[in-house]
Amino acid sequence: MSNSSLFNEFLLAFADTRELQLLHFSLFLGIYLAALLGNGLIITAIASDHRLHTPMYFFLLNLSLLDLGTISVIVPKSMSNSLWDIRTISYSGCAAQLFFFVFFLLAEYSLLTVMAYDRFVAICKPLHYGTIMGSRACVKMAAAAWASGFLNAVMHTGNTFSLPLCRGNTVDQFFCEVPEILKLACSDSYLRMVWALLIGVCLGFGCFVFIVLSYVQIFTAVLRIPSEQGRHKAFSMCLPHLAVVSLFVSTLIFACLNPPSLSLPALGLVLAFLYSVVPPAMNPLIYSMRNKELKDAL
């Protein structure tokens, strides 16, 4: 890291007045406790109830673990800074936060793609479901999702923090985020990051297209089911996952497509809050709202 000698900390964006800092702390504390409780209950229920030892709930358990990781990487530090009126994060702490955030976030996106495939096989190829989605295959798919997040995190963190930073050390965000760190990079070195961003965009777009195509075939198969009860059951299996994907992808797209020249600092903070903090807290509620098996286990 060639620029580590220039400064050893970053300044994060926080409210100036004490009242807003305490409001920020209270809001994040409530959301964080809700995420811990909801995801913790889902993990405990799935792990302890043998009736839930199926591919769908195995992937849901992994999703809850990733949600806990995502929100735990950024919210406790942000709460601590608000409570103690501190704006700084160390250089190594910022690098670690960025690495783990990208790791959990992209692993979750990959896992949502795997879960779309699981729903596709369950509805479009029900007679082959047990063969295709065996325990070994499920473990390999989940491991691939975690591994893709890890490799992307290594790539983005290494590229981001190898760039020389010559535009100060103020990050206009409440946590260390790749786009905000890149704004501090020297203009002549910014092109070194383009290839890594292109790889990430291509992988993300590929997963998005796969999810969309899976659901086109799922809805086509569901509409062919003659009984209304069968259609209702099929839709109830897919709607929670579709809601989680929509929440995750829509907030992430809005954050990525937010033009720096037209955006307000407050808008960037809100968009980051929506894609990084809200989904981990909302996912347990979405999945358990109409899931009788999970409710019974809880």
Side-chain angles (χ1 to χ4, degrees):
M1 297 183 179
S2 58
N3 55 336
S4 59
S5 60
L6 298 178
F7 50 84
N8 57 8
E9 64 183 16
F10 289 94
L11 298 178
L12 300 176
F14 282 98
D16 295 328
T17 62
R18 189 59 182 160
E19 292 78 9
L20 288 177
Q21 290 173 351
L22 294 177
L23 178 62
H24 171 266
F25 171 80
S26 302
L27 176 64
F28 272 41
L29 177 62
I31 293 175
Y32 187 54
L33 291 177
L36 288 179
L37 179 63
N39 288 290
L41 285 174
I42 286 180
I43 292 170
T44 305
I46 294 174
S48 59
D49 194 328
H50 69 279
R51 294 173 299 175
L52 300 183
H53 293 174
T54 62
M56 182 178 77
Y57 291 108
F58 170 72
F59 293 132
L60 181 56
L61 184 146
N62 279 268
L63 182 67
S64 293
L65 289 173
L66 290 170
D67 280 335
L68 286 178
T70 302
I71 200 168
S72 296
V73 166
I74 57 176
V75 170
K77 175 61 178 175
S78 183
M79 289 165 50
S80 173
N81 283 7
S82 294
L83 185 62
W84 302 112
D85 193 15
I86 300 172
R87 288 189 60 194
T88 60
I89 183 172
S90 67
Y91 189 93
S92 57
C94 182
Q97 188 182 64
L98 188 146
F99 171 82
F100 284 107
F101 179 70
V102 173
F103 169 43
F104 288 122
L105 192 76
L106 296 185
E108 180 169 339
Y109 189 40
S110 300
L111 187 68
L112 289 173
T113 307
V114 172
M115 294 173 76
Y117 177 71
D118 173 65
R119 296 299 84 206
F120 163 75
V121 176
I123 292 175
C124 298
K125 300 181 179 181
L127 298 179
H128 302 282
Y129 184 75
T131 304
I132 298 175
M133 302 302 294
S135 57
R136 184 173 296 182
C138 291
V139 171
K140 288 181 179 179
M141 290 179 188
W146 286 79
S148 67
F150 177 79
L151 293 176
N152 275 280
V154 170
M155 178 181 66
H156 286 293
T157 306
N159 277 279
T160 301
F161 284 91
S162 66
L163 297 175
L165 308 180
C166 36
R167 298 180 182 178
N169 64 337
T170 302
V171 179
D172 294 327
Q173 196 54 267
F174 62 90
F175 65 98
C176 289
E177 189 184 35
V178 172
E180 295 300 325
I181 302 295
L182 290 180
K183 289 180 182 178
L184 307 178
C186 304
S187 58
D188 58 344
S189 61
Y190 188 79
L191 292 176
R192 289 167 53 191
M193 193 64 189
V194 171
W195 70 271
L197 291 175
L198 285 176
I199 292 175
V201 168
C202 291
L203 290 174
F205 183 72
C207 290
F208 179 74
V209 170
F210 184 87
I211 292 173
V212 170
L213 292 178
S214 296
Y215 272 100
V216 167
Q217 297 187 63
I218 286 172
F219 288 139
T220 302
V222 168
L223 293 175
R224 292 174 181 168
I225 299 176
S227 67
E228 184 178 349
Q229 184 179 2
R231 288 196 299 271
H232 182 269
K233 183 178 179 180
F235 276 125
S236 65
M237 291 173 60
C238 298
L239 288 180
H241 176 259
L242 189 58
V244 169
V245 170
S246 301
L247 177 65
F248 183 86
V249 173
S250 60
T251 54
L252 195 58
I253 287 176
F254 278 124
C256 292
L257 295 182
N258 186 28
S261 59
L262 301 178
S263 64
L264 299 172
L267 180 60
L269 292 171
V270 170
L271 290 174
F273 172 79
L274 288 176
Y275 86 81
S276 63
V277 178
V278 173
M282 291 296 296
N283 288 352
L285 182 63
I286 293 172
Y287 270 104
S288 61
M289 194 180 302
R290 298 181 63 184
N291 192 316
K292 188 176 184 303
E293 291 179 336
L294 196 54
K295 284 182 180 179
D296 292 341
L298 290 173

